[in-house]
Amino acid sequence: MRGSEVKGAIAFVLFLIIAGLFVFGFLIVAVVLIALGLLLFIGFYAYVRIKIRWAKRHPPKELEGPEDYF
């Protein structure tokens, strides 16, 4: 190999490393965003289910007379 071929090979390997990091960086960001979205969805779903269950177990009080308003 001549000197220019070695420099070209090194440049190509560095380019492959940078391209790999670039692609895997986007994949990691995508995985993190999907995980955050799932956590938010599951949290909101659990919140709504707990609210519905609490509302069923604790119905609103029926007001009958004036003493119930004070």
Side-chain angles (χ1 to χ4, degrees):
M1 282 183 131
R2 287 184 235 143
S4 62
E5 291 177 351
V6 172
K7 287 180 187 175
I10 292 173
F12 181 70
V13 169
L14 287 175
F15 175 74
L16 284 179
I17 291 172
I18 290 171
L21 289 175
F22 189 71
V23 169
F24 285 116
F26 277 118
L27 289 175
I28 289 171
V29 169
V31 167
V32 167
L33 289 177
I34 290 171
L36 285 175
L38 281 173
L39 281 174
L40 285 173
F41 176 76
I42 291 170
F44 182 71
Y45 178 76
Y47 171 76
V48 169
R49 295 290 296 192
I50 290 170
K51 281 287 262 195
I52 290 171
R53 185 175 177 193
W54 188 86
K56 284 182 180 177
R57 290 182 175 224
H58 302 89
K61 180 181 178 185
E62 292 186 22
L63 301 175
E64 297 173 357
E67 65 276 358
D68 292 332
Y69 291 94
F70 299 107

